[in-house]
Amino acid sequence: DKDNNIRRPRGVSLAKAALYQPQSDGSWSCLDGSKRIPFVQINDDYCDCADGSDEPGTAACVQMRFHCINQGHQPLDIYSSHVQDGICDCCDGSDELPAVGCANTCLELGAAAAIQRRSEAELHKRGAERRQEMITRGKQLKADRVARRSELQARIKEQESLKAEKEQLKTNAEALETEALEVYREQQRELDANTAQAEQEPQQMRHEASLSFVRFDANKDGFVEITELMIDMDLDKDRNGVVTVEEAKYFLDERERVDLDAFVTLAWPRIKPLKMLADGLFQPPQTEEQAATEAPLANEQQEAQLEIDPPTNEHEDLEDEEEHYDDEEDEEEEPDVGVGEALPEFEATTETTTTTPNYDPETQRLIEQANGARQALEEVERQLREIEHEVKEIEEQDAKDYGVNEEWAMLDGECYTFEDREYVYTLCPFDRVSQKPKNGGAETTLGRWDQWFGEGDNKYTRQKYAQGAACWNGPQRSALVNIRCAVEPKITAVSEPNRCEYSYDFETPAACDSDALAATARAHDEL
Amino acid sequence: VDPTNFKTCEQSSFCRRSRKVQSTGSKYAIIRGTVNTYSDSLTADLINKENHHQFTLKLEALVGSTFRLQIDEKQPLRPRYRVEHALKDEPKTTRIRVQESDELSITVGTSKAVIHGDPFRIDFYENDVLVVAVNAKNWLYFEHLRQKAKAPAEPADGGDDAQQQQQENAEAAQPAGETVDDPGAWEENFKSHHDSKPNGPEAVALDFSFPATEVLFGIPEHADSFALKSTSGTEPYRLYNLDVFEYILDSKMALYGSVPVIYGHGPERTAGVYWQNAAETWVDIYTAETNVVSSLVNFVSGSRKSTPPSAHFISESGIVDAFIMLGPKPMDVFKQYAALTGTHPLPQLFSLGYHQCRWNYNDERDVTSVSAKFDEYNIPMDTMWLDIEYTNGKRYFTWDKFKFPEPLTMIKNLTELGRHLVIIIDPHIKRDTSYFFHNDCTENGYYVKTREGNDYEGWCWPGPASYPDFFNPVVRDYYASQYQLSKFNTVTEDVMLWNDMNEPSVFNGPEVTAAKDLVHYGNWEHRDVHNLYGHMNIMGTFEGLQQRDPNQRPFILTRAHFAGSQRYAAIWTGDNMAEWAHLQYSIKMCLTEAVAGFSFCGADVAGFFGNPDSELVERWYQTGAFLPFFRAHAHIDTKRREPWLFSERTREIIKEAVKIRYSYLPLWYTSFYELEKTGAPVIRPMLTHYPLDKETFSIDNQLLVQQRLLVRPVMQQGVSKVDVYFPAVDDKKNGDYWYDVETFQRQERTGYESIPVNEHKIPVWQRGGSIVPKKERPRRASTLMLNDPYTLVICLDRQGKAAGTLYLDDEKSYAYRDGKHIHVNYEFAENQLTNRFIGKPNYKSDAWLERIIIAGLERVPSSATITVNGISQQLEVEQRNGAVVVRKPSIKMDVDFAVKLNA
């Protein structure tokens, strides 16, 4: 390249060569105009100019940069502090005196860089094909969501009118039932006698819950958290051998952790049935027949219990009923004097000792009718909730940013793992990141989906997961996921650069953008 | 830290017993006719008039206005421990002149000791002024060794009658008839720990008064003010090497190091006492100013003379071995102490650069990338450090092969950039039968033993751990030999060492350290030698590093230290906190350490525990840049805080501070050479050079670097000005000129000045009359600056004069001890700069003189003329930033020259 032969002081780039020409009188002005010096004082290893411009080729001016031409590779500006310090910083060795003996490695480096660029381009090209599929799929998913959502909206309307209808039927049936049961009112007094006993129930329940709280709170921090439940296999509701975060969260009323009060009122009622089940003390309804027989008991019981144990809004389903059976179980162990037939709702409920209440046939029919109406309403309500839940899920997905072209949408619902010496790390994009010791022990949530976290134009190169499990004596865990292009999705590294702050390196074709890469490369070449 | 985990004097039986004498006094007298005089010393027998036990006393005169007083039992049941290895070598004695009239006096030059027989007392005079009085208060207390009564004593501290009875019986069996009725005399408990005390009571205590002084200072290590406070009504200062995390400030609690040297200072005289005892020691301080009652009495009685400051040293065992240093000026007494215990040898230059540490750099990639980041941001950094996590499960001399599979490559990555690596090696040895070091120690009996003769087992970082008995020379040799590259072949001779936890720290031991009834080499109890354990540890390390590479100066950082440890290692102030107050105490603590021999002192920059905000980080870097040991360090649970993790503003301020540090490296290096040669501390309290100015006595938020710089860092949050004290040289408020090192703005008045500061400002002044050598081209590591040119900064005094030295050599080897160095004194007077070599300049350096900056000239000269070997040449002169700059004298540093300013 003959341009490189243009005369200019050492350390000056071609672009600035014109600034380093002597005046006719042999003088030269500092580039900031602050001073005029003899041209021969340029690069004389003494800093004359306030801006350091007289020493582009030495270390004399601390604020100066040295320009390496690096022919065959990329030019580079290095700090003047790195000039003539005995360390070869420029691949052409121009920053050091010959005595240092820096080898010129520019051609090799240039060739290697070219190969690197080509393979990068190739990677992006191949990855971009996958990405295109992901875009197509992502857009399809979005369209599906839109369609599904309007479908669900329509069904909600249907269900709501159905619900109104069933409510009316229930109201009517219950009015008849109430009337028929009027005659049994007298026995209410005896029921009241038992209320005293019932009032003790919260006390006892609290005691029992507190003991359980202490057992669960393994780290004694005054909270029971997800990981502390995850080690209790009794809570494996779906019996798949693992207490998942979701399962554990259910017991904590969908929270990360609960304190004692919340545990007593929200968590324990859900946990207790499973504990009893595990202890063999409680048998859930086995057959439809039985369920039918027991349903009225359950319902009445539920009403009777309203003041002690308000059911939680979201999960008044089967489990709730189980809880109440369960409470009855407790009472079985208490003195049970003078109730018996008159108070069927307090009757023991094990299969062997179930007794049928002594209602007259008409009353019995009205009760069954009312039960039927209640069940029908419940069924409608249940369906409505399911639909609403699905709508909510769709809304959540819509709220997530799946990229300009929906190329990231496919990753939602996937999970990837990475093993190092001690842990298995998991990344479920748009959901959560977690860590599980290989030698056993509970999984720890390192963070839940928070936001894209890349800087500036590179927004989609980094994700943030926040609000993970709290560290002992420290903050809640969090993680950053750095994303790069590759044909196959993979976690390539996980580290913890700060205590409780994790860093994932993740590769996916979604990050492959050959157009963007080409643009960058062009911009680079123009330089 | 929870202070109740550590003993009070009352909870330490020997302290409460010895302290009791403060109300009753004691009765010791020299036995008539037992005095013997020799050419350099005097001996006599001493008797306790109450129990008739006899002691021998020896008073020696040492070279340099110093006396040594030793008192031991005349016929002890067993030998009592005498401290070894603290003194640099056997002190040189000198001839005395003995005069006997009413009293016995011995004279050496201008020093004199006057011995009073009954009550026993020795008065030390310097030029006829009484400067130190020994036992003036009659608080000498010496518990002689005795047989324990046959009846086994019940566990102590119960205080029941039966036990009292038994102890009285025990005392009755003593021929001397003395009663030691303290329930902790023969055994004592603290928390769940039992001390069997098989040797019973054996305390020694003595008082020292300083009649010609007003303030006492010394006895590090405490997180307290530089000037010692009165302890009447409070705890005494405690000297007992302990691992105290998140230590309490403004406290007399013991910390990691114990240096039992104290100084008294007044306008006319400065004197000191080195109490050589390695057992647990408490020091009660009485100062006139804080003693309200006595000053009130004096005020009322119209007496001018208040009670002189005094110190009462109380040690658990050993003998009385006191060195009385008579000054008369602060620098004299600092040098007298250095003559006894030695100085830090000239360190390699790199260790005066900036150190980057963290618990922990995670793996090789982390180390290499942090180093690369310093280059990316152009911030100088000399040394990367690895804390305990680099090891294979806290087994020292091994590596975690997963995180550090190729340490030699990692080390090469650093050394190729001119950087160094420092790794930690602690003295607790993992009890693991697959660990060679443990097996060697077990098989050869190298561990410290329990009273029953078993290997002592404590709990530390590795879990169950034992502790090598470094007091045994064979163990020291074994330990030192482990550093040989043939054995420890995963490091290179450039990897230096950090010895932490060497108090020793024992997590499950009493007060987080070893039990006192453990047994060391020579059958000494741990009680006798505790404060020396870390010292013996670093002696071994120093030996190991010297054997590894006999021509390279070792660098060692230690946490525990005793008198004399400065000969082997630098220290830091331990596990401080990221709080403003801890920043302030870093200066107070290092000033005290500096006058006690430990100039090479620093604090964890930005605080070990906690997460500092960016302002605290900025100010801490600015302060740390002007303490001799400059290292950033942080606890494993803190957020990462390398400079680039902060905002650009903070990063720039950090970079500026580090660069200023590097620009002054020639001054720091010269100061350390002169420390080795003379014992003059590198950093100094103001009173060192302004002894007449009483205001300086209590100043501990500013310091002097030699007598050249005055540093008053900003150490408070959110301030826009700081009050700086410019000291007076006499009692007429005359003072030196002080030139702001950035602007050369001159302070001419003495007293407090309010100095405006912005976030970039580090308030530093150069003294008028001084010349400071600098290198104004900071590089990525100091090692790469070896051949870079020098700048001389000349600040003129009122007479238009200045002087200052420069020292240079190869910055690494011991060749300087063969004279391969240049030591030069520059002098400026009559508008001319000349140099005068101290000794022969015998080192070939490529470095040269780049520029001369002169502040304080009346008018700007037109030019300058440099003359070398009779040949003259014109030099350009320009005015820059309030000073005059002489352009490019371009001479090598070993050349004689004169630069004359032309009118």
Side-chain angles (χ1 to χ4, degrees), chain A residues 184-202:
Chain A
Y184 295 91
R185 278 272 162 79
E186 290 166 31
Q187 292 164 353
Q188 188 64 33
R189 241 169 280 125
E190 276 160 285
L191 179 87
D192 288 346
N194 268 287
T195 312
Q197 194 181 342
E199 271 168 0
Q200 289 173 359
E201 220 172 304

Short mmCIF file of all heavy atoms in Angstrom, two decimals, chain A residues 184-202:
data_model
loop_
_atom_site.label_atom_id
_atom_site.label_comp_id
_atom_site.label_asym_id
_atom_site.label_seq_id
_atom_site.Cartn_x
_atom_site.Cartn_y
_atom_site.Cartn_z
N TYR A 184 -85.86 -29.05 60.75
CA TYR A 184 -84.70 -29.59 61.49
C TYR A 184 -83.97 -28.49 62.26
O TYR A 184 -82.96 -28.75 62.88
CB TYR A 184 -83.74 -30.26 60.50
CG TYR A 184 -84.36 -31.48 59.85
CD1 TYR A 184 -85.06 -31.39 58.68
CD2 TYR A 184 -84.25 -32.72 60.48
CE1 TYR A 184 -85.64 -32.50 58.10
CE2 TYR A 184 -84.84 -33.84 59.90
CZ TYR A 184 -85.53 -33.74 58.72
OH TYR A 184 -86.09 -34.82 58.16
N ARG A 185 -84.57 -27.31 62.24
CA ARG A 185 -83.90 -26.16 62.89
C ARG A 185 -83.64 -26.36 64.37
O ARG A 185 -82.65 -25.91 64.91
CB ARG A 185 -84.75 -24.90 62.72
CG ARG A 185 -84.56 -24.26 61.37
CD ARG A 185 -83.38 -23.28 61.43
NE ARG A 185 -82.94 -22.98 60.08
CZ ARG A 185 -83.57 -22.13 59.27
NH1 ARG A 185 -84.63 -21.47 59.70
NH2 ARG A 185 -83.11 -21.94 58.06
N GLU A 186 -84.61 -27.01 64.99
CA GLU A 186 -84.49 -27.17 66.44
C GLU A 186 -83.14 -27.78 66.79
O GLU A 186 -82.55 -27.46 67.82
CB GLU A 186 -85.60 -28.08 66.95
CG GLU A 186 -86.96 -27.40 66.89
CD GLU A 186 -88.08 -28.43 67.08
OE1 GLU A 186 -87.84 -29.42 67.80
OE2 GLU A 186 -89.15 -28.24 66.48
N GLN A 187 -82.79 -28.69 65.93
CA GLN A 187 -81.53 -29.36 66.26
C GLN A 187 -80.34 -28.39 66.19
O GLN A 187 -79.23 -28.74 66.60
CB GLN A 187 -81.32 -30.51 65.26
CG GLN A 187 -82.33 -31.59 65.49
CD GLN A 187 -82.43 -32.54 64.31
OE1 GLN A 187 -81.83 -32.31 63.28
NE2 GLN A 187 -83.21 -33.59 64.49
N GLN A 188 -80.63 -27.20 65.74
CA GLN A 188 -79.56 -26.21 65.62
C GLN A 188 -78.91 -25.92 66.98
O GLN A 188 -77.71 -25.67 67.07
CB GLN A 188 -80.12 -24.90 65.03
CG GLN A 188 -79.06 -23.88 64.68
CD GLN A 188 -78.12 -24.37 63.59
OE1 GLN A 188 -78.54 -25.11 62.69
NE2 GLN A 188 -76.86 -24.01 63.70
N ARG A 189 -79.78 -25.92 67.99
CA ARG A 189 -79.26 -25.61 69.31
C ARG A 189 -78.13 -26.55 69.70
O ARG A 189 -77.10 -26.15 70.21
CB ARG A 189 -80.39 -25.69 70.35
CG ARG A 189 -80.63 -24.34 71.05
CD ARG A 189 -81.90 -24.41 71.86
NE ARG A 189 -83.08 -24.23 71.04
CZ ARG A 189 -84.10 -25.07 70.99
NH1 ARG A 189 -84.12 -26.16 71.72
NH2 ARG A 189 -85.13 -24.82 70.23
N GLU A 190 -78.38 -27.81 69.39
CA GLU A 190 -77.34 -28.79 69.70
C GLU A 190 -76.07 -28.53 68.85
O GLU A 190 -74.95 -28.72 69.30
CB GLU A 190 -77.85 -30.21 69.47
CG GLU A 190 -78.62 -30.72 70.67
CD GLU A 190 -79.51 -31.88 70.27
OE1 GLU A 190 -80.56 -31.60 69.63
OE2 GLU A 190 -79.13 -33.00 70.58
N LEU A 191 -76.35 -28.11 67.67
CA LEU A 191 -75.22 -27.74 66.83
C LEU A 191 -74.41 -26.64 67.50
O LEU A 191 -73.18 -26.67 67.58
CB LEU A 191 -75.72 -27.26 65.46
CG LEU A 191 -74.61 -26.84 64.50
CD1 LEU A 191 -74.09 -28.05 63.74
CD2 LEU A 191 -75.11 -25.80 63.54
N ASP A 192 -75.16 -25.65 68.06
CA ASP A 192 -74.49 -24.53 68.75
C ASP A 192 -73.60 -25.03 69.88
O ASP A 192 -72.55 -24.46 70.15
CB ASP A 192 -75.54 -23.55 69.31
CG ASP A 192 -76.20 -22.78 68.18
OD1 ASP A 192 -75.66 -22.83 67.05
OD2 ASP A 192 -77.24 -22.15 68.43
N ALA A 193 -74.14 -26.05 70.55
CA ALA A 193 -73.34 -26.58 71.65
C ALA A 193 -71.95 -26.98 71.16
O ALA A 193 -70.97 -26.91 71.89
CB ALA A 193 -74.04 -27.78 72.28
N ASN A 194 -71.97 -27.38 69.92
CA ASN A 194 -70.69 -27.80 69.37
C ASN A 194 -69.84 -26.65 68.84
O ASN A 194 -68.65 -26.85 68.57
CB ASN A 194 -70.92 -28.78 68.24
CG ASN A 194 -70.90 -30.18 68.76
OD1 ASN A 194 -69.86 -30.70 69.11
ND2 ASN A 194 -72.09 -30.77 68.88
N THR A 195 -70.47 -25.52 68.73
CA THR A 195 -69.73 -24.40 68.16
C THR A 195 -68.52 -24.06 69.03
O THR A 195 -67.44 -23.72 68.53
CB THR A 195 -70.62 -23.16 68.03
OG1 THR A 195 -71.84 -23.57 67.42
CG2 THR A 195 -69.95 -22.10 67.17
N ALA A 196 -68.75 -24.18 70.33
CA ALA A 196 -67.64 -23.90 71.24
C ALA A 196 -66.43 -24.73 70.84
O ALA A 196 -65.31 -24.23 70.77
CB ALA A 196 -68.07 -24.22 72.67
N GLN A 197 -66.76 -25.96 70.57
CA GLN A 197 -65.68 -26.85 70.15
C GLN A 197 -65.08 -26.38 68.83
O GLN A 197 -63.87 -26.35 68.67
CB GLN A 197 -66.28 -28.24 69.99
CG GLN A 197 -65.21 -29.30 69.90
CD GLN A 197 -65.87 -30.66 69.70
OE1 GLN A 197 -67.06 -30.83 69.96
NE2 GLN A 197 -65.09 -31.61 69.26
N ALA A 198 -65.97 -25.97 67.95
CA ALA A 198 -65.50 -25.54 66.64
C ALA A 198 -64.61 -24.31 66.76
O ALA A 198 -63.67 -24.13 66.00
CB ALA A 198 -66.68 -25.25 65.72
N GLU A 199 -64.94 -23.49 67.76
CA GLU A 199 -64.15 -22.27 67.91
C GLU A 199 -62.72 -22.55 68.32
O GLU A 199 -61.83 -21.76 68.08
CB GLU A 199 -64.82 -21.34 68.93
CG GLU A 199 -65.82 -20.42 68.25
CD GLU A 199 -66.70 -19.71 69.25
OE1 GLU A 199 -66.53 -19.93 70.47
OE2 GLU A 199 -67.56 -18.93 68.82
N GLN A 200 -62.57 -23.67 68.96
CA GLN A 200 -61.20 -24.01 69.33
C GLN A 200 -60.38 -24.39 68.10
O GLN A 200 -59.17 -24.40 68.14
CB GLN A 200 -61.19 -25.20 70.29
CG GLN A 200 -61.72 -24.81 71.64
CD GLN A 200 -61.87 -26.04 72.52
OE1 GLN A 200 -61.60 -27.15 72.09
NE2 GLN A 200 -62.29 -25.82 73.74
N GLU A 201 -61.13 -24.66 67.07
CA GLU A 201 -60.46 -25.19 65.91
C GLU A 201 -59.36 -24.27 65.37
O GLU A 201 -58.26 -24.74 65.11
CB GLU A 201 -61.51 -25.45 64.83
CG GLU A 201 -61.24 -26.73 64.11
CD GLU A 201 -62.40 -27.03 63.19
OE1 GLU A 201 -63.55 -27.10 63.68
OE2 GLU A 201 -62.13 -27.15 62.01
N PRO A 202 -59.64 -22.97 65.21
CA PRO A 202 -58.55 -22.12 64.68
C PRO A 202 -57.31 -22.19 65.55
O PRO A 202 -56.19 -22.25 65.05
CB PRO A 202 -59.16 -20.71 64.70
CG PRO A 202 -60.58 -20.85 64.99
CD PRO A 202 -60.88 -22.24 65.42
#
